[in-house]
Amino acid sequence: MHKKQAFIISFEGIEGTGKSTQSRLLSSFLAKQGFKTAFFREPGSSVFGEQIRNILLHGKSKLSALSETLLFIAAREQLRIEKIQPNIAKKDIVIIDRYIDATVAYQGYGSGVDIELINQLNKVVIGKCIPNLTILFDIDPKIGLVRSGRGDRFEKRKISFHQRVRMGYLKIAKENPDRIKIIKVDTDIKTIQNQLRTILNNEFNFKKRKHKKSADKK
Ligand code: TYD
C-alpha cells in the first residue's frame, strides 16, 4: 500500500531576507486552510539541536569550518530522527526554515568545505526526507546584513563571505531547477507572501489536495 508522506518545503537564503517571517506566515495560512502543518527551524527544534544552535551562533570558541559543518549535520540528523520523520507520516505539510542547502551554501561555498563531502553527509542524514520544494529568498548581502543586524557568529562575518554564500545558493538553485524556486526580496511582505503562495499552489495545489483529503475521510 502507498504510504502517505507529507509535502516537505524548505526555506533558504542569506541573512536578512525575511525568510523566517515568510515561512511563519505561510505556516499559519496553511493551518487556516485546514492543512496539518509542522514547522521546524535549523539548527534547532530538538533539545540537542537547540543546544548546538547556541554553540554555533553564540559560542565563544573558534571552530574550524569542518567542525561547524559536522555540528550542523549532527543537529540535522537529530531533527530528522526526532521531528521530521515522525511528522511526515502524520502531517500534510512539513516546513523547515533552513535545511540541506544551507550547509552547502554557508560551509561549502562560504567557507570552502568540500561540497561533495557535504552532499554525501546530507544524503546520509536526511534519508527519504527530501524537500519537495525549496524556496530561495534572494537579496543583495549589502541590504540583507543591514536588515538583519550583525549579532551572531555568521552575521558578523565579512561581506565577501555573504557574497560567496549568496552565489553558492544561486548555483545550487541553477543545478536543481525543479526543486528550488527563487523569490527576489525587493518588495513588501504581502507581495512576497502572495508570490510564495502562488509557487506553492503550482506545486501542491491547495484545492485538489483539500478535495482529496475530504474524499479520503469518507
Ligand atoms: P538564524 O538566526 O536562524 O538565521 P536566519 O534567521 O537568517 O535563518 O541562524 C542560523 C544561522 O546558521 C544562519 O546564519 C545560517 C547558519 N547556518 C549555516 O551556516 N549552515 C547551516 O547548515 C545552517 C542550517 C545554518
Side-chain angles (χ1 to χ4, degrees):
M1 206 173 74
H2 179 70
K3 260 203 187 149
K4 177 184 136 167
Q5 178 168 328
F7 189 88
I8 303 177
I9 316 171
S10 61
F11 286 93
E12 299 282 358
I14 62 160
E15 322 295 321
T17 58
K19 175 177 56 57
S20 304
T21 308
Q22 291 295 344
S23 53
R24 284 178 195 281
L25 278 174
L26 183 75
S27 175
S28 47
F29 164 75
L30 290 169
K32 276 193 205 129
Q33 295 286 310
F35 294 109
K36 282 192 255 161
T37 61
F39 182 93
F40 306 117
R41 69 165 179 183
E42 269 210 16
S45 294
S46 73
V47 175
F48 172 77
E50 291 296 332
Q51 286 168 343
I52 292 286
R53 179 183 181 87
N54 206 20
I55 294 172
L56 279 165
L57 269 56
H58 308 293
K60 298 283 169 264
S61 25
K62 229 171 170 252
L63 292 174
S64 76
L66 184 59
S67 296
E68 229 177 72
T69 304
L70 296 172
L71 288 174
F72 278 115
I73 293 287
R76 181 161 306 136
E77 161 84 343
Q78 286 312 121
L79 181 70
R80 201 258 309 149
I81 295 173
E82 293 174 32
K83 304 285 171 165
I84 303 177
Q85 196 84 48
N87 272 288
I88 55 170
K90 285 192 268 181
K91 306 282 180 181
D92 300 311
I93 300 177
V94 170
I95 299 178
I96 315 168
D97 186 354
R98 295 197 186 280
Y99 198 35
I100 44 176
D101 305 306
T103 320
V104 180
Y106 278 78
Q107 282 64 49
Y109 288 100
S111 301
V113 175
D114 183 69
I115 287 168
E116 205 31 58
L117 173 68
I118 299 175
N119 283 335
Q120 279 178 20
L121 290 169
N122 268 337
K123 210 169 158 191
V124 172
V125 298
I126 70 163
K128 289 192 180 120
C129 300
I130 303 163
N132 300 88
L133 173 67
T134 296
I135 302 290
L136 170 59
F137 290 108
D138 183 49
I139 195 169
D140 183 334
K142 282 190 209 127
I143 303 169
L145 284 174
V146 173
R147 285 170 45 154
S148 71
R150 307 200 88 179
D152 66 40
R153 188 194 291 266
F154 296 94
E155 287 163 355
K156 281 191 186 121
R157 287 189 183 161
K158 285 191 190 133
I159 189 97
S160 54
F161 170 79
H162 295 280
Q163 267 151 355
R164 288 197 300 279
V165 175
R166 182 196 194 190
M167 286 308 139
Y169 266 133
L170 292 172
K171 191 155 184 275
I172 304 167
K174 213 169 172 189
E175 288 162 1
N176 297 273
D178 293 339
R179 172 172 67 87
I180 307 181
K181 309 291 171 204
I182 302 171
I183 295 183
K184 294 246 170 259
V185 184
D186 51 8
T187 171
D188 59 290
I189 293 182
K190 208 171 156 204
T191 311
I192 294 169
Q193 182 64 202
N194 286 337
Q195 284 177 24
L196 176 56
R197 289 179 196 175
T198 305
I199 294 175
L200 181 60
N201 202 24
N202 289 340
E203 308 289 322
F204 180 73
N205 200 328
F206 303 130
K207 258 197 189 151
K208 207 168 129 198
R209 301 263 182 166
K210 259 196 195 166
H211 283 312
K212 194 174 171 301
K213 264 181 88 169
S214 31
D216 285 350
K217 274 187 206 146
K218 281 176 200 158

